[in-house]
Amino acid sequence: MADLARLAGVSAITVSRALAGSPLVNPETATRIKAIAEAQGYTFNVSARNLRLRSNRTVAVIVEMKPSPDRRMSDPYPLDLLGGISQELASAGYCVLLSTRAGGDVAAVRGADAVILLGQGAHEDAVAAVARWRLPMVVWGAPLPGAAQVTVGSDNRRGGALAAERFLALGRHRIGFLGDTAHAEVAARLAGFEAVLSAHGLKAAHAKPAAFTVAAGAKASHALLERHPQADALFAASDLLAIGAVRALTERGRRVPEDVSVIGYDDTPLAATYVPALSSVHQNLHEGGVLLARKALALVEGREVASETLPTNLVVRAT
């Protein structure tokens, strides 16, 4: 840069500003400096610049989930979230470093400017683990009372309430819930669900699936139906669990929706194409990803950032 400054007859700081596109440099001077830089084969040493700026222009995205044959990383969650995140970060000139919680020991992850955590984990253990990295952090999930981290998520409590209201409108009164409330989002869905039922003198039977998969949903549904064979409605904390519930009901000779109504959560493309098409609570994952990225960048810039909750709505289909 000092050599370019000598050749152009300007100061090194003027060269730096011109190459960075600063409006502080006269356009004609900037054009001349860029032409000299190109003729000399000059390029930025990105690593050196990042070291000087104490920035890698990278945001680590940590996915908190265990992939399995019927719960893949290519499913809408987390892929739609990742799409929104990548779109926003790329527009701001940042790179996305994708990893899992186990990748926290990798130097590139620890050297990121910020971290976005997709999934709080059971009992918020993932949040606690990533918080120890001491990076600016934004989390996808349910806001927790008194928690320090910034969260972006859907209105889980309202989503649960919408499912209960739909069951009541259909005249259902023997109602079950499938979900692991160790996860804050699931607990919020159940809280909204039960608040509406309680106001009508009803209480839901619970079953705890071992994972967010179709197989786990079917197994948990069988267990619930053994205890409550006359159940006439099931609300599942995810679409995969709901599809598992439909499978279990079919295996037991129960018709959906004639005998039992089923509602899932997430409103994934699979829900719309499944037979029968699955009624589900919709959350806008792509928009959530965009917000996660914007808030992560705001934290990097030292700005104050608040948590945000996106609206949910019930998509009624055939179940």
Side-chain angles (χ1 to χ4, degrees):
M1 194 173 288
D3 293 335
L4 289 181
R6 187 182 72 256
L7 291 170
V10 297
S11 66
I13 188 63
T14 298
V15 172
S16 177
R17 287 172 175 167
L19 296 180
S22 171
L24 297 175
V25 181
N26 179 286
E28 292 182 1
T29 302
T31 300
R32 183 164 59 88
I33 291 171
K34 290 176 181 178
I36 294 172
E38 184 175 354
Q40 297 297 319
Y42 177 86
T43 58
F44 271 121
N45 183 322
V46 176
S47 297
R49 180 187 62 183
N50 289 345
L51 182 63
R52 176 172 58 83
L53 296 175
R54 296 184 180 181
S55 168
N56 284 325
R57 309 262 326 156
T58 298
V59 173
V61 179
I62 306 301
V63 180
E64 175 61 18
M65 69 174 282
K66 295 179 180 178
S68 68
D70 55 356
R71 193 191 185 204
R72 299 165 295 181
M73 292 284 281
S74 58
D75 283 342
Y77 175 87
L79 202 58
D80 280 0
L81 283 170
L82 288 170
I85 291 168
S86 299
Q87 171 185 305
E88 194 67 18
L89 292 180
S91 298
Y94 274 73
C95 295
V96 176
L97 178 60
L98 181 63
S99 185
T100 62
R101 198 197 323 180
D105 293 330
V106 177
V109 173
R110 294 296 184 95
D113 296 314
V115 60
I116 295 173
L117 175 60
L118 303 184
Q120 293 162 301
H123 306 292
E124 294 78 60
D125 59 338
V127 175
V130 175
R132 288 194 287 271
W133 302 352
R134 299 188 180 280
L135 292 171
M137 178 172 69
V138 184
V139 181
W140 172 260
L144 303 172
Q149 75 271 5
V150 176
T151 61
V152 174
S154 67
D155 192 341
N156 293 286
R157 188 179 179 92
R158 178 59 181 156
L162 288 170
E165 290 168 0
R166 175 63 180 171
F167 286 154
L168 293 173
L170 293 171
R172 305 300 192 182
H173 298 98
R174 299 182 297 275
I175 299 171
F177 174 80
L178 304 175
D180 183 358
T181 55
H183 297 268
E185 290 174 279
V186 176
R189 291 166 197 175
L190 176 60
F193 187 65
E194 289 195 317
V196 172
L197 295 182
S198 178
H200 290 78
L202 299 175
K203 188 173 182 179
H206 296 184
K208 177 183 173 182
F212 290 91
T213 65
V214 172
K219 185 176 181 179
S221 297
H222 276 301
L224 188 149
L225 293 166
E226 285 292 332
R227 294 182 281 113
H228 304 279
Q230 299 306 311
D232 59 10
L234 293 177
F235 173 42
S238 79
D239 285 344
L240 291 179
L241 292 176
I243 290 170
V246 174
R247 177 184 296 178
L249 287 163
T250 301
E251 291 170 350
R252 301 176 79 90
R254 306 293 302 280
R255 297 171 303 165
V256 178
E258 292 85 354
D259 301 327
V260 185
S261 297
V262 178
I263 294 176
Y265 205 104
D266 288 333
D267 187 29
T268 60
L270 180 59
T273 57
Y274 189 71
V275 179
L278 183 68
S279 297
S280 183
V281 177
H282 176 80
Q283 54 178 345
N284 193 329
L285 297 175
H286 182 85
E287 183 181 352
V290 170
L291 284 174
L292 286 165
R294 287 178 180 171
K295 292 179 185 296
L297 293 177
L299 289 175
V300 170
E301 294 168 2
R303 291 187 276 135
E304 289 190 12
V305 181
S307 296
E308 192 163 342
T309 300
L310 296 169
T312 50
N313 62 281
L314 177 63
V315 179
V316 176
R317 297 191 179 96
T319 62

